[in-house]
Amino acid sequence: MTMKSSENLNMNFLRYDIPAGIVVFLVALPLSLGIAQASGLPPFVGLLTGVIGGVIVTLLSPSRFAVSGPAAGLVTIVVGAMETLGSFSSLLLALMLAGILQIVFGIIKAGRFVSLIPGSVIQGMLAAIGILLIMQQIPVALGYQGEDGLRGIFSDPAFSLSPTALIVPAVALLILWLWTTPPFKRIRLMTYVPGPLVAVLWGSLAVIFGDRIVPDSMQAMPRIALPKFDSVDEVTSQLEKPNWSAWNNPQIYVIAATLALVASLETLLSQEALKKLKEQTPAPSPNKEMRAQGIGNLISGFLGGMPITAVIVRSSVNVNTGARSKVSILLHGVLLLLCGMFFSDMLNTIPLACLAAVLLYTGYKLASPALFMTQWRLGLPQFLPFIATLAGILLFGMLAGIGIGLLAQLLSSTYKSHHNAMQLTRDENHYVMRFHQNLTFLHNPRLQSLLAEIPDNSVVRVERDNVGYIDPDVKAVLSDFVAKAPDRNITLHRWPVGH
């Protein structure tokens, strides 16, 4: 390829990448601010995390289209971790350790094991995250500022619901819903303007004009509080440092493992979903992606940011708006940095209730009734692990919930496999016992129940062409049946053990 044609190709890419990068920035801005707010952290932390994910992780990632940044799916873990550890600075140390773990995952090529995580467990994890997100954001949307969360709305006598303040999140939710309806999707211009951005813009305008019309109600409405930076020193003064002295707290390592596992899982699942939207040749290496994410989380923990993952919402927007290279993602990261540095006054007009509405809608999409119906229609072997994962996460936390879901899936799959391992058919007094797979002691209960169905004076034939191994315990059950067969006038053909 000549230099001139290469320049033309790059310019052609920029024609698509620059608009795509602007749209991704417009989607990422409200989400980054909202995720920080939902985590109980300053909005600047969300922007910082978006910049690290958009620039540093992008430069290291093998994917041309995956957009990394703060993820709504990790909000519940961040909130719980800060409650457990007692401070954000201690969480930063856990995040650095999680980054190191992710780098190790990439080095030992653990990315290939993501295919072992059952879909039912993944869906249960996402649904649980959605429900927890909704529970956390309802109080914020209603303007409650206490520490009792959802319970405080009903139990705190100082809280009173303002009808004026309720309009802001209600209209924001209406906008988000309208943006997904077919009539709006048919309007070409609407596809380039993200629904979350319009919802946030509505909130800002409501505050600006509401301050003049109903100042008392609007001044009581909590808003974003971004500091104004006049120098680099002021920026660095806002950055919190890891609490190095927390290294001897055992909970640090549990939380680090949880963050590393869930962040890696969400990243790799986003990559799998992205493959369905846009093929890349060669396909991005999951192990290189984990190393890139690990370095990003290590830097984010050191600088005072939040956990980073590849996020399918922003990635799909990037692809659907025509991105051709990493330039679009890098541009979105730079725009987030500029916005946080120079446009804080504008961002401070955004009410927290509006960001809560964006996250409420995100939570609803993660835990929609349609998801529950889909899992139910797949049958109990899929639905039970799904519900077990969901309930386990809600009751015991993320890591324990995933473990419960994996155990439920293992038991469900084992039961189904063993139930179909052998089959008994009847034709008058002739029976055919078919063995479909190798048999172990775990198959004994099923084998004994089938043998108990065979009456006296029968002829029994065994078909086991595909079976290469029969456990001694299974042979013992078969031998016991052989020993009793003459007394019951049962004739055996092709029996697996001598008779």
Side-chain angles (χ1 to χ4, degrees):
M1 184 182 290
T2 65
M3 183 177 292
K4 187 173 181 179
S5 62
S6 177
E7 288 175 359
N8 290 337
L9 183 63
N10 289 335
M11 290 303 295
N12 189 42
F13 275 18
L14 288 177
R15 188 166 67 109
Y16 294 98
D17 287 331
I18 290 175
I22 293 171
V23 174
V24 173
F25 156 71
L26 295 176
V27 172
L29 177 62
L31 289 175
S32 297
L33 296 172
I35 290 165
Q37 173 261 319
S39 304
L41 297 170
F44 177 71
V45 175
L47 290 178
L48 170 66
T49 309
V51 172
I52 296 170
V55 178
I56 295 174
V57 175
T58 300
L59 291 172
L60 298 171
S61 170
S63 174
R64 296 199 305 273
F65 305 112
V67 183
S68 297
L74 293 175
V75 167
T76 54
I77 299 177
V78 170
V79 172
M82 286 196 293
E83 288 178 1
T84 302
L85 300 175
S87 69
F88 179 50
S89 58
S90 295
L91 172 64
L92 294 177
L93 179 60
L95 180 56
M96 291 184 68
L97 293 172
I100 293 170
L101 270 177
Q102 285 184 292
I103 295 170
V104 172
F105 289 164
I107 292 171
I108 64 174
K109 302 186 186 305
R112 62 184 183 274
F113 294 117
V114 70
S115 59
L116 295 176
I117 305 294
S120 57
V121 173
I122 293 166
Q123 295 294 350
M125 180 188 79
L126 295 175
I129 287 169
I131 290 171
L132 288 169
L133 208 53
I134 290 169
M135 291 169 62
Q136 288 172 352
Q137 293 308 302
I138 286 175
V140 181
L142 298 179
Y144 176 67
Q145 301 182 60
E147 297 181 356
D148 292 334
L150 199 58
R151 188 177 56 211
I153 296 174
F154 306 99
S155 62
D156 192 339
F159 173 69
S160 61
L161 188 61
S162 166
T164 308
L166 188 60
I167 292 173
V168 172
V171 173
L173 284 171
L174 179 63
I175 291 169
L176 292 166
W177 172 74
L178 283 172
W179 241 250
T180 63
T181 57
F184 269 70
K185 287 183 176 179
R186 290 193 202 103
I187 304 171
R188 187 174 179 83
L189 179 62
M190 297 298 185
T191 61
Y192 293 102
V193 183
L197 180 71
V198 179
V200 168
L201 183 61
W202 144 255
S204 293
L205 292 174
V207 165
I208 292 168
F209 289 104
D211 279 341
R212 300 173 184 175
I213 302 169
V214 280
D216 293 338
S217 296
M218 285 300 165
Q219 284 179 9
M221 182 178 290
R223 308 175 194 181
I224 283 177
L226 272 177
K228 191 171 184 178
F229 302 118
D230 295 320
S231 66
V232 176
D233 289 339
E234 288 188 11
V235 176
T236 55
S237 68
Q238 290 290 322
L239 303 178
E240 192 155 350
K241 297 299 181 186
N243 179 14
W244 305 108
S245 63
W247 67 270
N248 57 356
N249 183 350
Q251 288 296 327
I252 285 281
Y253 302 97
V254 175
I255 290 166
T258 304
L259 284 171
L261 178 63
V262 177
S264 298
L265 191 59
E266 186 162 344
T267 290
L268 295 176
L269 292 176
S270 295
Q271 292 281 41
E272 289 298 311
L274 195 56
K275 287 179 184 177
K276 295 177 174 60
L277 297 175
K278 186 83 171 180
E279 280 291 338
Q280 295 184 60
T281 307
S285 163
N287 300 307
K288 288 181 180 178
E289 184 63 41
M290 276 205 288
R291 292 200 294 271
Q293 295 289 332
I295 293 169
N297 277 318
L298 181 61
I299 294 171
S300 185
F302 182 74
L303 293 180
M306 297 169 63
I308 293 171
T309 72
V311 189
I312 188 57
V313 174
R314 278 159 259 182
S315 302
S316 60
V317 168
N318 188 39
V319 168
N320 291 332
T321 48
R324 301 293 176 89
S325 72
K326 289 184 178 183
V327 171
S328 62
I329 313 172
L330 292 168
L331 175 61
H332 119 275
V334 171
L335 289 174
L336 284 175
L337 177 62
L338 295 175
C339 198
M341 293 286 289
F342 303 111
F343 300 101
S344 58
D345 288 341
M346 182 181 69
L347 296 180
N348 286 343
T349 63
I350 300 173
L352 297 184
C354 218
L355 295 178
V358 173
L359 291 167
L360 280 171
Y361 197 72
T362 302
Y364 172 78
K365 287 194 292 184
L366 289 172
S368 66
L371 173 64
F372 285 79
M373 291 304 299
T374 300
Q375 293 298 311
W376 174 256
R377 291 192 189 104
L378 290 173
L380 282 178
Q382 288 291 109
F383 187 73
L384 288 178
F386 166 76
I387 286 294
T389 305
L390 189 153
I393 291 172
L394 293 179
L395 294 173
F396 306 111
M398 189 65 67
L399 208 55
I402 291 173
I404 290 169
L406 288 172
L407 180 61
Q409 181 67 70
L410 181 63
L411 293 174
S412 179
S413 298
T414 301
Y415 169 78
K416 195 71 177 175
S417 172
H418 288 188
H419 188 76
N420 296 329
M422 54 192 79
Q423 182 183 21
L424 182 67
T425 56
R426 176 186 178 184
D427 182 14
E428 295 182 350
N429 71 325
H430 284 69
Y431 289 80
V432 177
M433 176 84 77
R434 293 182 176 87
F435 296 157
H436 298 295
Q437 64 185 58
N438 294 340
L439 303 179
T440 70
F441 70 95
L442 294 173
H443 294 99
N444 272 346
R446 171 72 174 160
L447 176 61
Q448 289 170 342
S449 68
L450 291 178
L451 292 176
E453 295 177 17
I454 300 173
D456 297 347
N457 308 310
S458 301
V459 177
V460 185
R461 173 188 175 87
V462 170
E463 293 185 1
R464 56 185 183 97
D465 295 340
N466 296 323
V467 176
Y469 173 76
I470 297 179
D471 193 276
D473 289 304
V474 177
K475 289 182 178 180
V477 173
L478 295 171
S479 296
D480 183 57
F481 190 83
V482 168
K484 296 175 181 177
D487 296 335
R488 299 176 59 193
N489 194 29
I490 294 176
T491 305
L492 305 175
H493 292 289
R494 299 187 65 189
W495 204 249
V497 295
H499 62 279

